[in-house]
């Protein structure tokens, strides 16, 4: 039987990881993160479906797809949409697939406009503030979901 799949969905500007404000987000690229996740997923008997989009609707379509495909969980770094998107909040509530919120930085210790998380109000868990490792810590939580 195929391994359970974990969708890892990344929002706007995360395609620029590596060069984007490295003092905040670190120097790992999204491809580096995908590689780390795939290595660990193999050990955990999971498969990774890694995606990135700068468009809110793509993230929503992919969450619906994750449920339709029977994904085990979604790791979601919605980036700035975290703080603005009721549509993403509703999408998380609309599916049964558990969603773990992920951030490289810790938005709660940054500007006030980052303190609200519409994603976090609907997600089952949140990992933030560990740089690229936030994704790996979130992946460790999947087998228990
Ligand atoms: C982020 C934090 C958000 O506030 C910001 O808009 C991002 C990245 C993070 O991973 O730390 O784009 O989600």
């Amino acid at each position: 039987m195929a391994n359970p799949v974990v969708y890892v969905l990344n929002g706007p500007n995360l395609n620029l990881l590596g060069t984007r404000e490295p003092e905040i987000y670190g120097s790992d690229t999204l491809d580096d993160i995908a590689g780390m996740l795939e290595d660990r997923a193999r050990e955990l008997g999971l498969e990774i479906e890694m995606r990135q989009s700068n468009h809110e609707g793509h993230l929503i379509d992919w969450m619906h797809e994750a449920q339709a495909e029977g994904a085990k969980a979604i790791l979601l770094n919605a980036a700035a949409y975290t703080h603005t998107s009721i549509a993403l909040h509703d999408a998380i509530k609309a599916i049964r697939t558990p969603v773990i919120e992920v951030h490289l930085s810790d938005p709660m210790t940054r500007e006030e406009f980052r303190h609200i998380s519409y994603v976090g109000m609907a997600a089952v868990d949140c990992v933030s503030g560990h740089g690229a490792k936030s994704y790996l810590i979130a992946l460790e939580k999947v087998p228990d979901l």
Side-chain angles (χ1 to χ4, degrees), residues 84-126:
T84 61
S85 179
I86 295 169
L88 278 176
H89 173 97
D90 284 351
I92 296 167
K93 296 203 105 162
I95 59 174
R96 288 177 305 282
T97 315
V99 175
I100 301 178
E101 177 183 16
V102 179
H103 300 286
L104 297 127
S105 66
D106 180 0
M108 294 311 289
T109 62
R110 299 180 60 195
E111 305 96 319
E112 204 170 333
F113 62 80
R114 297 183 201 276
H115 294 183
I116 188 161
S117 172
Y118 291 106
V119 166
M121 288 176 209
V124 296
D125 208 338
C126 174

Side-chain angles (χ1 to χ4, degrees), residues 11-14 17 20 24-25 77-83 102-107 110-111 113-114 128-129 135:
N13 302 305
L14 293 173
L17 279 184
R20 175 193 181 197
I24 296 175
Y25 298 116
N77 186 349
Y81 289 137
T82 305
H83 317 299
V102 179
H103 300 286
L104 297 127
S105 66
D106 180 0
R110 299 180 60 195
E111 305 96 319
F113 62 80
R114 297 183 201 276
S128 65
Y135 288 83

Side-chain angles (χ1 to χ4, degrees), residues 20-74:
R20 175 193 181 197
E21 298 182 277
E23 66 286 0
I24 296 175
Y25 298 116
S27 53
D28 289 312
T29 66
L30 209 52
D31 280 348
D32 294 335
I33 294 172
M36 292 178 217
L37 283 170
E38 275 153 20
D39 289 347
R40 183 59 185 140
R42 211 166 296 124
E43 293 168 357
L44 292 170
L46 299 168
E47 220 157 276
I48 298 295
E49 182 66 36
M50 186 87 168
R51 310 250 179 106
Q52 187 276 332
S53 178
N54 294 324
H55 305 276
E56 191 174 11
H58 289 165
L59 299 170
I60 292 167
D61 289 344
W62 291 338
M63 284 201 271
H64 297 177
E65 178 190 308
Q67 164 159 278
E69 293 295 322
K72 172 121 176 106
I74 299 169

